[in-house]
């Protein structure tokens, strides 16, 4: 149980394109999901906390207008990288928790490459 | 604020060697502690967890004990295999003001040679 599915796994697109990444909890409901960006040499940066039915909570330094997060249902959160540029190329990972006191379960990540 | 510090890698070992990856933390409140593993090109998988002091998390031969007095959660395995080669993340989670706040270490790369 507790499977998180992330799609797409890999996307390559031109500079200026907007890209949407989906994160789904397949067998549980998640009122809260998390979006991370992973930089080279492994470090994992929390970008935002996605809350179902309300606005996302962004970490300091993350551009809200650049990284749009929508959590329309208890099983789906989306991250849209708007007008992507090469510096946005990275590995983006989402996670969700089953409930209070439970660990995060992660999607397999999305490799975003902007040409 | 909250923080997690783990030893820098890469850690390079021969198969069947003993593994220790150190992790210490600072946290406001009473955190839950986790170890996650990331294989190349994949997301993170929960390896083990501990939610209170002196709890020992274990899975797949890996163990870690929640040490409140030393604010540590070191990962150990008695005999590593080549298939254990991956990046290991120590993490904590606290609930503050009704919101869950996760914090990750920078990750430690483990390379196991045959």
């Amino acid at each position: 149980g507790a499977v998180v599915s992330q799609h797409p796994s890999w996307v390559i697109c031109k500079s200026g394109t907007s890209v949407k990444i989906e994160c789904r909890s397949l067998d549980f409901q998640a009122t809260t999901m998390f979006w991370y960006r992973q930089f080279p040499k492994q470090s994992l940066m929390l970008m935002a906390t996605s809350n179902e039915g309300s606005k996302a909570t962004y970490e300091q330094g993350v551009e809200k207008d650049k990284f749009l997060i929508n959590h329309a249902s208890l099983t789906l959160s989306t991250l849209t990288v708007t007008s992507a540029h090469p510096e946005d190329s990275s590995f983006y990972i989402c996670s969700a928790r089953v409930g209070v006191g439970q660990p995060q379960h992660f999607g397999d990540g999305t490799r975003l490459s902007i040409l | 604020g909250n923080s997690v510090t783990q030893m820098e890698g890469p850690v390079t070992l021969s198969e069947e060697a003993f593994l220790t990856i150190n992790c210490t933390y600072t946290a406001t409140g009473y955190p839950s502690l986790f170890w996650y593993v990331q294989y190349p090109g994949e997301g993170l998988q929960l390896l083990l967890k501990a939610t209170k002091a002196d709890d020992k998390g274990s899975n797949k031969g890996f163990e870690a004990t929640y040490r409140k007095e030393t604010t540590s959660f070191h990962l150990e395995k008695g005999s590593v295999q080549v298939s254990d080669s991956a990046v290991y993340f120590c993490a904590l989670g606290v609930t503050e003001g009704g919101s869950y706040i996760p914090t990750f270490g920078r990750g430690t790369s483990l390379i196991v040679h045959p």
Side-chain angles (χ1 to χ4, degrees):
Chain A
V3 177
V4 175
S5 174
Q6 191 171 338
H7 178 81
S9 57
W10 196 8
V11 58
I12 303 173
C13 57
K14 294 181 180 180
S15 184
T17 306
S18 291
V19 179
K20 180 184 284 188
I21 302 170
E22 293 186 348
C23 181
R24 295 182 184 271
S25 56
L26 295 187
D27 49 2
F28 65 100
Q29 294 183 330
T31 55
T32 303
M33 292 184 175
F34 303 90
W35 287 97
Y36 294 85
R37 181 173 178 176
Q38 188 169 31
F39 294 95
K41 298 187 179 181
Q42 310 137 23
S43 63
L44 205 65
M45 182 190 83
L46 177 64
M47 298 175 66
T49 302
S50 171
N51 304 300
E52 187 269 336
S54 64
K55 292 182 180 180
T57 304
Y58 289 83
E59 296 299 304
Q60 193 172 10
V62 177
E63 297 177 61
K64 300 178 183 181
D65 296 331
K66 176 74 171 176
F67 299 100
L68 300 179
I69 291 173
N70 183 274
H71 196 151
S73 76
L74 287 171
T75 59
L76 173 64
S77 175
T78 60
L79 168 67
T80 301
V81 184
T82 61
S83 187
H85 292 284
E87 59 266 27
D88 299 322
S89 298
S90 193
F91 193 54
Y92 294 87
I93 310 175
C94 72
S95 72
R97 289 204 307 158
V98 175
V100 175
Q102 297 300 311
Q104 296 176 73
H105 296 275
F106 286 82
D108 282 339
T110 298
R111 174 71 60 192
L112 176 62
S113 297
I114 308 298
L115 304 178
Chain B
N2 306 320
S3 67
V4 174
T5 302
Q6 55 183 111
M7 58 192 294
E8 290 190 21
V11 173
T12 304
L13 296 172
S14 297
E15 205 165 25
E16 299 184 3
F18 184 86
L19 168 70
T20 299
I21 300 179
N22 291 335
C23 172
T24 57
Y25 67 90
T26 59
T28 54
Y30 204 156
S32 294
L33 302 175
F34 310 93
W35 275 101
Y36 288 87
V37 58
Q38 184 179 32
Y39 298 100
E42 298 182 10
L44 278 68
Q45 301 173 28
L46 177 67
L47 183 59
L48 52 84
K49 68 174 183 178
T51 58
K52 61 182 187 295
D54 300 325
D55 266 3
K56 177 185 283 187
S58 61
N59 185 27
K60 300 180 181 179
F62 291 89
E63 293 183 340
T65 301
Y66 190 144
R67 301 288 189 199
K68 194 168 187 292
E69 64 277 12
T70 55
T71 62
S72 64
F73 193 54
H74 304 321
L75 181 69
E76 296 182 337
K77 185 174 185 181
S79 176
V80 294
Q81 305 300 312
V82 173
S83 57
D84 293 326
S85 299
V87 179
Y88 293 81
F89 290 89
C90 184
L92 66 83
V94 294
T95 300
E96 296 178 3
S99 297
Y100 180 80
I101 302 173
T103 305
F104 282 78
R106 293 179 61 84
T108 301
S109 176
L110 171 65
I111 302 169
V112 181
H113 293 295

